[in-house]
Amino acid sequence: MAVLDGDTWVINGRKWFTSGADRAAYTTVMCKTETDVPAHDAFSMIIVPTNTPGYNILRDVRVMGHYGGHCEVSYENVRVPAKNLLGPRGAGFKIAQRRLGPGRIFHCMRWLGQAQRAFDLMCERANSRVAFGKTLGQHQQIQKFIFDSLAEIQASRLLTLHAAHKIDQGTEARVEIGIIKVVGAQMLHNVIDRAIQVFGAKGVTEDTPLERMYRHARFARIYDGPDEVHVTTTARRVLGSYKIGDGWDFGLR
Ligand SMILES: Cc1cc2nc3c(=O)[nH]c(=O)nc-3n(C[C@H](O)[C@H](O)[C@H](O)COP(=O)(O)OP(=O)(O)OC[C@H]3O[C@@H](n4cnc5c(N)ncnc54)[C@H](O)[C@@H]3O)c2cc1C
């Protein structure tokens, strides 16, 4: 919550999972500034230098056994100039949406790179490790891992390129980004999981990068909105299009 005191914003609150707070010179705080308006018009973005008195990092939250700079931060009467407001008052959600759309497609591009690395490792291992008289890659179940991963990575890649194409055309590509956020994160999780399986015990050790990649893949299904929220909002948009008679022609989309 922030209130305007003369020409100064006074911010109070607490936020955990502020990633990178341990090394940031400033942070963008999204907080309630308006009352008696609909919720989506009640929040604003305010820039806060991290050396401002009252800005305190309480802890680096340990996630899946590791510290990753996902900090819990408290704001106790943090005072910053009124001009630190980003955009108009009450525009917090609109600004967030403008950043989150392109931000999500960047995540998808990183995930594709990670999936390629996991796939390379899995195939190299499948060709080199011999178990029960033949290489792992000669066992049908392992071939299925390779096939499923191949198909999922390529599908995600094409969906991501399609979303990027829509953005290039000047649209917000909300549906396309909703799809890749969910499909991309699940693909990453599945591919790394299979690669770990092919490595056996070694896959869960820090002797391969897969263990670390797997933890990050798990986060991907939660940060920037969990899968379920994207499924709901994306499906609602498509249903809305049918409601107004536009339908959803895949050939034109
Ligand atoms: C590694 C990591 C880094 C993060 N970094 C940041 C950061 O830098 N800045 C920041 O602001 N946040 C950050 N977050 C927070 C992240 O954006 C939230 O965790 C995420 O949006 C989910 O919110 P929540 O944790 O409050 O879960 P909740 O809202 O409590 O949801 C919990 C679960 O409930 C279900 N659910 C919720 N809503 C619905 C719905 N509408 N329909 C069906 N099911 C639903 C989902 O299964 C969801 O996973 C980070 C999170 C992680 C894991």
Side-chain angles (χ1 to χ4, degrees):
M1 175 91 194
V3 290
L4 200 54
D5 177 19
D7 59 358
T8 302
W9 285 108
V10 184
I11 306 170
N12 279 286
R14 182 183 283 237
K15 172 78 179 90
W16 77 340
F17 281 92
T18 306
S19 300
D22 52 343
R23 48 196 177 275
Y26 67 89
T27 188
T28 311
V29 182
M30 181 152 158
C31 48
K32 188 168 182 183
T33 53
E34 316 303 311
T35 49
D36 303 326
V37 294
H40 58 268
D41 292 327
F43 289 77
S44 302
M45 295 269 194
I46 301 174
I47 297 170
V48 175
T50 54
N51 60 2
T52 312
Y55 174 96
N56 294 310
I57 295 181
L58 301 180
R59 61 175 174 143
D60 185 349
V61 181
R62 208 169 147 84
V63 285
M64 295 181 92
H66 292 258
Y67 293 109
H70 307 296
C71 299
E72 181 171 354
V73 181
S74 78
Y75 298 80
E76 288 169 36
N77 292 317
V78 170
R79 300 177 74 87
V80 294
K83 67 177 167 56
N84 282 24
L85 181 74
L86 203 58
R89 285 180 72 143
F93 278 110
K94 287 188 192 82
I95 296 169
Q97 189 52 48
R98 238 174 277 148
R99 186 210 67 87
L100 283 170
R104 285 175 184 137
I105 200 166
F106 285 128
H107 285 317
C108 293
M109 291 188 248
R110 280 193 304 105
W111 297 341
L112 286 167
Q114 293 263 300
Q116 171 83 62
R117 177 97 170 97
F119 189 72
D120 289 345
L121 289 169
M122 176 164 59
C123 291
E124 284 157 17
R125 169 83 174 179
N127 276 337
S128 59
R129 167 83 170 144
V130 175
F132 297 90
K134 45 188 178 181
T135 62
L136 291 179
Q138 288 170 317
H139 293 272
Q140 277 193 352
Q141 290 184 82
I142 304 299
Q143 291 165 0
K144 180 84 164 76
F145 284 172
I146 308 294
F147 178 87
D148 287 346
S149 301
L150 187 71
E152 288 173 27
I153 295 170
Q154 186 67 334
S156 289
R157 203 176 146 269
L158 295 174
L159 284 169
T160 304
L161 283 168
H162 182 241
H165 175 63
K166 298 298 278 189
I167 292 172
D168 279 349
Q169 285 180 326
T171 72
E172 287 190 341
R174 294 260 187 110
V175 167
E176 291 74 13
I177 287 174
I179 297 170
I180 56 169
K181 171 68 175 66
V182 175
V183 172
Q186 288 178 351
M187 171 281 293
L188 181 66
H189 187 261
N190 295 347
V191 172
I192 297 172
D193 184 62
R194 292 183 197 115
I196 286 176
Q197 196 68 14
V198 170
F199 271 83
K202 194 177 179 186
V204 292
T205 68
E206 293 182 3
D207 288 3
T208 78
L210 294 167
E211 176 266 352
R212 181 170 186 274
M213 288 161 70
Y214 186 69
R215 281 187 276 113
H216 284 262
R218 192 64 193 82
F219 305 153
R221 292 181 50 206
I222 298 173
Y223 60 64
D224 273 9
D227 288 358
E228 293 74 15
V229 172
H230 291 290
V231 167
T232 299
T233 52
T234 305
R236 265 205 224 128
R237 265 176 216 287
V238 174
L239 289 172
S241 183
Y242 274 90
K243 256 189 202 158
I244 59 170
D246 284 353
W248 196 265
D249 186 332
F250 288 92
L252 297 175
R253 296 279 172 175

